[in-house]
Amino acid sequence: MAPPAYSGAGPRSEVGVTATEAEKVHTLRQNTGSGTHRVVEMIPPQEASVRRREIEDKLKQEEETLSFIRDSLEKSDQLTKNMVSILSSFESRLMKLENSIIPVHKQTENLQRLQENVEKTLSCLDHVISYYHVASDTEKIIREGPTGRLEEYLGSMAKIQKAVEYFQDNSPDSPELNKVKLLFERGKESLESEFRSLMTRHSKVVSPVLILDLISGEEEVEVQEEVPLEHLPEGVLLDVIRISRWLVEYGRNQDFMNVYYQIRSSQLDRSIRGLKEHFRKSTSASGVPYSPAIPTKRKDTPTKKPIKRPGTIRKAQNLLKQYSQHGLDGKKGGSNLIPLEGRDDMLDVETDAYIHCISAFVKLAQSEYQLLMEVIPEHHQKKTFDSLIQDALDGLMLEGDNIVSAARKAIVRHDFSAVLTVFPILRHLKQTKPEFDQVLQGTAASTKNKLPSLITSMETVGAKALEDFADNIKNDPDKEYNMPKDGTVHELTSNAILFLQQLLDFQETAGAMLASQETSSSATSYSSEFSKRLLSTYLCKVLGNLQLNLLSKSKVYEDPALSAIFLHNNYNYILKALEKSELIQLVAVTQKTAECCYREHIEQQIQTYQRSWLKVTDYIAEKNLPVFQPGAKLRDKERQMIKERFKGFNDGLEELCKIQKAWAIPDTEQRDKIRQAQKHIVKETYGAFLHRYGSVPFTKNPEKYIKYQVEQVGDMIDRLFDTSA
């Protein structure tokens, strides 16, 4: 191919000219006035031929390359045509294959569906046929019962239930339905029977010792493990729970709940009764039931503290014995207080037993509810629990009502020591009421109101006892045969103080009793301070009534001196008892001068007693003695007067000492004080008389009239108020 011709205004550029050759071409321009002249340097011929060959070679190479490209394009076009032809053929064949395969696939799919339907039909047939064999397959298991094989038994019952459901839905007139129904009912009855059997055989009464450990655990100083209550063995409990759930879910039966509460109710009632019997049988000589720790339930065996007992009349009598040792209760035979130890020991045991039974009921009921929550369905728990606790609760309430009834009878008999049993019980009931209310939460209103009703009854009878006691103190008759002949403390005084001492242990309880009878609006929400003031007012009322009655009784004595000794002894006994038992602080809430008043009364009676010696000392008083000159001879009248004075003193001294020796002043301090004061007065008066007339010749037989020396008179007075002298 020839190279393209050159066209253009500029100088031609030769193809293939090297840089060296180009440098040899110079264009010379000369500017003249007429035009431009170009000068070209000519290339040698050899070099031009070489360059031409080179250019021709290159042109040849380019032509070969161009020819190769044309061939390649032609081959590519041919290959493209071939590929299009192949693809068109493949598409045609693929369409033919699809048209052939789709019908085959559909036939295969239909065959698979038919096969699955056949398999399902066969499976359903096997399943249906199995229902016809359920009765024969499970009859032996149902007949033998669930004992020892509960898991297998419940599995068989599940099969029977499914068979019943199948026949009811698909073949209600089938005889097989009646057969499996009967088998199901028999199985359900066996499960109910097994439930009853397990509950009966494994429900055991809680031992009294374990109950005492349980209710006294909160009072222990040492930290100990909680005493567990295992009502049913773990394995048995699991079986009972499974049977219960099955009967509720599948058996549609609630009769087992009645069985449950009847059995557990009996065990709860028997446990509390057993505790009561334990108190009666195992009460020691001190009246404290022993409650040892359970070695198998504790890591170690700590020293068991005696159970804290409520304050009752025994405590007051013990205080009375202490006062007796200090001379507050009179000498032997001096007090008319009737010993009530045997009866009061029995009252204490019964009171303690009832109090601990109340606590035991709360703890056992809490434990029963924990057990019930595992066995009984939630929506039946409250009702079942209400029924479960009724027998035990009714028994406790009935016993409480009996205590109230006995207290009412005791009030009629004026046996107020028996009424005191209400105080510790009422206090304990009030302390336990929050726990009681929590335990009974969710029960019927009639059940919840039983304890508040008993508390109200006890408060009423307690308030009645307090008021009647105060009236009885005021109106106790003045019976001569009931008066202490030695002028010591009267039975009424000791009994009154004995009763009031009890109120120290039950201040809040007694105050609440009195407040409950108030009709003022403030009584509905009375405070502890209000109750305390009411109790203080009551104490002052009783002491005031007692003082009035003692004054009335003192008039029974014909001898004013003995009447004074009687009042002195009683007032002194009251004062010392108030001080020693701290009753004086309670009295001082409303009567701050009570102590001073009693001391004034005591001093007044001492002065009254001392006046009884005037008939002795008046004989030898200086104002009643004859006046004569020293050394002068006595006249007969003067001698006779001196004789009468000596005789009157001697007779009076002997008579008073003989009488007053049989009187009693139990308080050693008061007895010595009265003796010393009287001895000082008499000795001083007699000493002056004897000094003045002892050497006067008023008689030929002076030993007949001067029978006693001054010290002998003092010794005689020192033997006053001493029956053993």
Side-chain angles (χ1 to χ4, degrees), residues 35 102 264 324 427 504 615:
I102 287 177
R264 293 308 308 168
S324 178
R427 180 176 64 182
L504 283 177
K615 63 181 180 181

Side-chain angles (χ1 to χ4, degrees), residues 500-513:
L500 295 182
Q501 284 166 352
Q502 296 306 293
L503 303 185
L504 283 177
D505 290 331
F506 309 106
Q507 293 184 41
E508 293 184 5
T509 304
M513 286 178 177

Side-chain angles (χ1 to χ4, degrees), residues 35-90:
T36 300
H37 301 275
R38 182 172 60 180
V39 180
V40 178
E41 185 179 356
M42 299 302 291
I43 299 173
Q46 296 82 1
E47 293 181 4
S49 61
V50 171
R51 282 162 44 194
R52 188 179 295 112
R53 284 195 298 272
E54 290 177 354
I55 291 170
E56 290 175 353
D57 291 340
K58 289 182 179 180
L59 287 173
K60 186 177 180 180
Q61 290 178 357
E62 293 293 336
E63 289 176 354
E64 290 176 356
T65 301
L66 184 59
S67 177
F68 174 76
I69 290 173
R70 285 194 185 100
D71 293 342
S72 296
L73 287 173
E74 291 176 357
K75 290 179 180 180
S76 177
D77 291 340
Q78 186 63 37
L79 289 174
T80 299
K81 291 178 180 179
N82 293 339
M83 181 59 69
V84 169
S85 177
I86 291 170
L87 289 175
S88 298
S89 176
F90 179 77

